Amino acid sequence: MAKRGSETCYYLVFALLSTSIVANAANQEKEIGLLLSFKASLSDPLRFLSNWNSSVNICSWSGISCDSNSSYVTKISLPGKNMSGEVSQSLFLLPFIETIDLSDNQISGELPRNMFFCLSLRNLNLNNNNFTGTIPRGSNPGLETLYFSNNMFSGDISEDIQLFSGLKKLDLGGNELRGNIPISISKLVNLEFLTLSSNHLVGEIPRELGLMRSLKWIYLGYNNLSGVIPKELGNLSFLSHLDLVYNNLTGEIPSSIGNLTELQYLFLYQNRLTGLIPLSVFESKNLISLDLSGNYLTGEIPELVTQLKKLEILHLFSNNIKGRIPNALASLPRLRVLQLWSNKLSGEIPKNLGKLNNLTLVDLSTNNLTGKIPEGLCASGHLIKLILFSNSLLGEIPKNLTQCRSLKRVRIQNNRFSGELSKEFTKLPHVNYLDISDNMFSGGIHQSWDMPALEMLNLARNKFSGNLPETFSTSVKLQNLDLSKNGFFGNIPIKFGKLSELVQLKLSNNELSGFIPEELSSCKKLVYLDVSHNWLTGRIPDWLSAMPVLSELDLSDNRLSGEIPRSIGKVESLVQVNLSHNRFHGRLPSTGAFVEINASAVAGNNLCSGNVVTGLPPCKMAKTPILWVLLSCGLVVLVLVLLTFFGFILLRRQRKTSWDKVDEDGIWTLRLFDSRASHTITVDDVLSSMRDENIISRGKNGILYKGKSVAKGIKFVAKEISASHSLHPNFWKDILELGNLRHPNVVKLMGICRSEKVGVLVYEFIDGNNLSDGHCKLNWEIRCKITIGVAKALRYIHSQGTLVGNISMDKVIVNKKGEARLKRPLPGFTATNDSKGFFSSIYVAPGTLSTLPLYYNLFHDYFQGFFVIDRTTFSETKERMEITEKSEVYAFGVLLIEILTGRHPTDSEAGVHHNVVDWAHYSYSDCLLDTWIDPALKASNSNHLKEIVETMNVAIQCTHNDPSARPCSSNVLKSLASVLRSRSCLSGAPIF
């Protein structure tokens, strides 16, 4: 009986084991099928999934982890494998999966709607991909971490978020989410980490967040949140990070912040906060970084800051803080970064600052500080940046600072410093940026100068004297050297020719003598050379004509003599020349930069020219033997007679066949401005093009047709415009001026064809597309070619004393060779005549509310739907909204931002910024390259990043709020020519 019982038990165990084995095998087959289905939906260029096949044990597959007991798949980890494609539903049908990590790939598409039905899932990380669509709804109380940041998810955050009650970490930052932060999120009482930053969220911060007592991190920055900071946040006793930056938060900083005893990082910068810095903030004694910059805070910095013994970073810049810098700051042992610039601080810098600190960066610029630089500012030996410009500081550079070998960036310009530069200071090995201009420094520069890392040196507007040291040449990385407006004398050192990276050399307003050394010809990257207001002698060096990227040359107010080499006029890159007040004689070149040279730039010499623009007298012809004169005159008369005869015959033929035609609209007259088309395009060609099958586009100002001449097949575009009575009186006169514009980067108006009732404009046909149709797909070489092309067009049009009228992506055509052509709108049809287009255009430069036309307020409700500029800003033009050269430079700057960022001006990604221009200004000033550079450029043009950054700098200058601070179009072109100086960027037509 016992034996039978043991046998029964044996068979039962065997049966159970057999069932378990069969079940495991069946489950593994299912998992293999699901994972292979997932693999099939992906592109795997690195072949990381190459061993995902049925011949290999599933637990040995790359990125797969299994339970040690059951061999079920519990984890998939595939971060950063350069995978693309879409995620299939099969991934979320794995019955025992707990962790899925697909972060840092290029996976796209929408997520499966039923993905959260996988109740075994505990951790899901899809950060840094290209997922789109809305975040799927569902319920999974067991999910602990949900990372969806840096994708393209859109829509609202659902109230159903509360159904994920077990969440500890939630990251939805860097997406396209909109709407309010749902109050139901406060039901996630276990949540420790909350990131909703860099979306388009609006409304107030829910005060119910104060109920989430487990929270340690809150990141809500870079949204459009408004209202006050809820005082209830002070109830979060475990909170260590609070980040609410770049929103529209108002009111005062709540005093309850002082209750956050565990707080280490408090970031409230770039909001609209007002009032004093609450004293309670300094009760958060664990603070490591405190950033309240970019607000409207007032009052003084309290001495209670001494309580923050762990503080490493203090940013209070760009506020209205006044009073003295508290001495208590000098007692903070861990303080590394101190930025208090752009406030109303006064008094002296604390004398002990730096002695007990660990300072690496100090920026106190643009205040009202007085006194001297503290002796111990670099006592730690770690100071890297010292920025004190635009104050009223005085005295000499302290000895401790002259021996601060850690320094890399020194900007102390526009103060009252005096004394000489010590030998030690001129030998600092790591300084790459040194600006001490606009002070009262004096004495000579030591011949022992040795700053090998230096890239920018500005000693301008001081009282330096003596010879220029040849040892400047040891700074072989130097790109910008400005020694102007001092008392230097002697020769320009020939060793300056070793500065092979030099882009800008300014030596004006000194007492330099001798020749311009030939050795400077080795500076092949030189763009700007200014040696004006010196005592230089000799001729203009021939080597100047061989400088490949020289853009601006100023030789004025010297004692230079001789003739001006004709080769200088053939330098394609040369934009601006000033030769005034020297001893030059002879003929002024009539090419290149001399074609439209300003009269003042050649005054004070003995030059002649046939160019009326210069105001110079015409050059006298050399004496010629009388026989040659008679023969020449006879030949000229004969040629004129023949030309007149053939011209008469041709004119009669054209009048009969080409220029005139009578139909129901009256007599048609064709006038062509283009000599190439004068014998090929006829009235019949123009009128026959105006058929429905030839329509390119329809607009409210007319219809565009594609045409072709019968004679030689020349293509053109015909634009039919409104009846003559609807045009302004000077329309046709303005059209004639438009027809005289001839530039390779301006769309050519070839002719006009008109009757009593209808007018047709004939433009050249360009085989290409509008820049707006796909600029994001262009590589850097094409983009900079387009940039230079539009800048040339703008410069040319302004030089003709006229305006473009409307600059935008739609007004730029790019042909198959990547060359840009700028389209000018018709006179009277510019954006200024279209109130809706005018106000909705981000290309319109900002100004002040006082000049806004009255009808803005009357129609504000109507405009509100498409308004994209801040209500407090508007066109800087007058009530007639007339366009100026500087407003067109602004529009060009916006165009540059589009080209560099790949974003449209009305792109909602500007977030809290009123538009993309404000966003670009912030991103550039804060060095957030990863934020603003078009990803397409970063991916394939990493070796052009410097050019891209410097081009953005030009865009920032062009879009300055103050019109007087913007460069003129010629200087814009000059700057771009200096930045985009590689062959790939400057290939094509010359600057003019």
Side-chain angles (χ1 to χ4, degrees), residues 458-665:
N458 192 345
L459 307 182
R461 295 173 294 281
N462 278 287
K463 298 180 179 180
F464 291 115
S465 58
N467 291 303
L468 293 176
E470 292 190 346
T471 47
F472 272 152
S473 61
T474 61
S475 302
V476 292
K477 297 181 180 179
L478 201 60
Q479 297 178 20
N480 291 278
L481 176 59
D482 190 347
L483 308 175
S484 60
K485 295 189 177 180
N486 280 288
F488 293 115
F489 53 78
N491 296 335
I492 300 174
I494 61 175
K495 288 190 176 181
F496 276 15
K498 294 184 178 181
L499 301 175
S500 59
E501 298 296 316
L502 201 62
V503 173
Q504 188 175 82
L505 177 60
K506 294 183 179 180
L507 303 176
S508 63
N509 293 90
N510 282 288
E511 299 174 16
L512 301 173
S513 56
F515 300 132
I516 301 174
E518 184 178 354
E519 286 73 10
L520 286 181
S521 63
S522 299
C523 303
K524 297 299 184 183
K525 296 182 180 180
L526 195 64
V527 172
Y528 185 104
L529 176 61
D530 185 355
V531 294
S532 63
H533 295 272
N534 281 288
W535 296 347
L536 299 174
T537 55
R539 296 175 176 270
I540 296 178
D542 289 331
W543 56 261
L544 281 173
S545 60
M547 300 300 284
V549 292
L550 186 64
S551 177
E552 186 162 340
L553 175 65
D554 194 340
L555 306 177
S556 62
D557 288 273
N558 278 287
R559 299 177 181 178
L560 299 169
S561 57
E563 295 188 355
I564 300 169
R566 292 190 178 183
S567 57
I568 293 291
K570 298 179 181 179
V571 180
E572 294 183 352
S573 60
L574 200 59
V575 175
Q576 193 166 332
V577 181
N578 192 342
L579 308 176
S580 62
H581 302 289
N582 278 284
R583 299 172 182 177
F584 297 122
H585 66 272
R587 180 183 293 272
L588 188 72
S590 58
T591 56
F594 295 92
V595 172
E596 298 167 5
I597 194 168
N598 194 293
S600 62
V602 292
N605 289 287
N606 189 24
L607 295 167
C608 64
S609 171
N611 189 344
V612 179
V613 177
T614 63
L616 297 175
C619 297
K620 297 179 180 179
M621 296 185 63
K623 294 183 178 179
T624 308
I626 187 67
L627 180 61
W628 284 107
V629 172
L630 293 175
L631 288 175
S632 300
C633 289
L635 185 61
V636 169
V637 170
L638 180 60
V639 170
L640 288 175
V641 170
L642 291 174
L643 288 176
T644 302
F645 175 74
F646 286 114
F648 177 74
I649 296 299
L650 183 62
L651 184 61
R652 287 191 62 187
R653 182 178 301 174
Q654 284 186 337
R655 285 186 179 275
K656 291 180 180 179
T657 62
S658 304
W659 288 68
D660 297 318
K661 183 179 178 68
V662 179
D663 65 7
E664 65 272 13
D665 290 320

Side-chain angles (χ1 to χ4, degrees), residues 661-668 687 690 720 754-758:
K661 183 179 178 68
V662 179
D663 65 7
E664 65 272 13
D665 290 320
I667 300 175
W668 284 90
L687 298 184
M690 297 164 63
E720 181 184 5
R754 54 183 296 207
S755 68
E756 296 176 2
K757 300 179 180 180
V758 185

Side-chain angles (χ1 to χ4, degrees), residues 137-330:
R137 296 188 177 188
S139 173
N140 188 341
L143 194 65
E144 296 181 359
T145 62
L146 181 59
Y147 292 151
F148 279 1
S149 67
N150 296 322
N151 283 282
M152 292 180 280
F153 291 114
S154 57
D156 297 340
I157 301 174
S158 171
E159 291 282 348
D160 292 347
I161 193 71
Q162 63 182 313
L163 300 178
F164 297 85
S165 56
L167 273 179
K168 294 181 179 179
K169 297 179 180 179
L170 175 62
D171 187 352
L172 304 179
N175 283 288
E176 305 285 335
L177 300 175
R178 301 179 181 276
N180 297 322
I181 300 174
I183 295 177
S184 65
I185 204 170
S186 62
K187 300 293 181 62
L188 304 179
V189 293
N190 297 314
L191 201 65
E192 299 176 0
F193 183 104
L194 174 62
T195 296
L196 304 176
S197 60
S198 298
N199 281 288
H200 309 298
L201 301 175
V202 297
E204 298 186 355
I205 299 173
R207 59 184 67 250
E208 288 79 6
L209 292 186
L211 301 174
M212 304 170 71
R213 300 302 176 89
S214 299
L215 275 175
K216 297 179 180 178
W217 302 57
I218 298 179
Y219 291 153
L220 304 180
Y222 300 96
N223 280 290
N224 293 311
L225 300 172
S226 57
V228 300
I229 300 173
K231 63 180 181 180
E232 287 78 7
L233 296 184
N235 298 329
L236 305 176
S237 55
F238 294 109
L239 198 65
S240 63
H241 287 64
L242 178 58
D243 186 334
L244 307 177
V245 306
Y246 271 91
N247 280 291
N248 295 312
L249 300 175
T250 55
E252 299 185 358
I253 300 172
S255 59
S256 61
I257 294 293
N259 299 333
L260 304 176
T261 56
E262 298 297 318
L263 195 63
Q264 295 179 322
Y265 299 91
L266 178 58
F267 297 146
L268 304 179
Y269 57 87
Q270 291 298 328
N271 278 286
R272 300 179 182 182
L273 301 173
T274 55
L276 307 176
I277 302 173
L279 298 180
S280 60
V281 167
F282 304 101
E283 297 296 327
S284 300
K285 298 179 182 180
N286 285 310
L287 274 174
I288 295 174
S289 182
L290 174 61
D291 194 337
L292 309 178
S293 60
N295 283 289
Y296 302 101
L297 301 176
T298 55
E300 300 184 3
I301 304 172
E303 291 285 345
L304 280 175
V305 72
T306 190
Q307 297 182 167
L308 304 180
K309 299 298 183 183
K310 296 182 180 180
L311 194 67
E312 297 180 10
I313 299 174
L314 178 60
H315 287 175
L316 300 177
F317 57 85
S318 292
N319 278 289
N320 295 315
I321 298 172
K322 61 181 181 178
R324 293 177 172 268
I325 299 174
N327 291 317
L329 287 175

Side-chain angles (χ1 to χ4, degrees), residues 320-341:
N320 295 315
I321 298 172
K322 61 181 181 178
R324 293 177 172 268
I325 299 174
N327 291 317
L329 287 175
S331 66
L332 303 180
R334 298 186 182 181
L335 187 64
R336 295 186 295 108
V337 178
L338 178 62
Q339 297 205 74
L340 307 178
W341 50 271

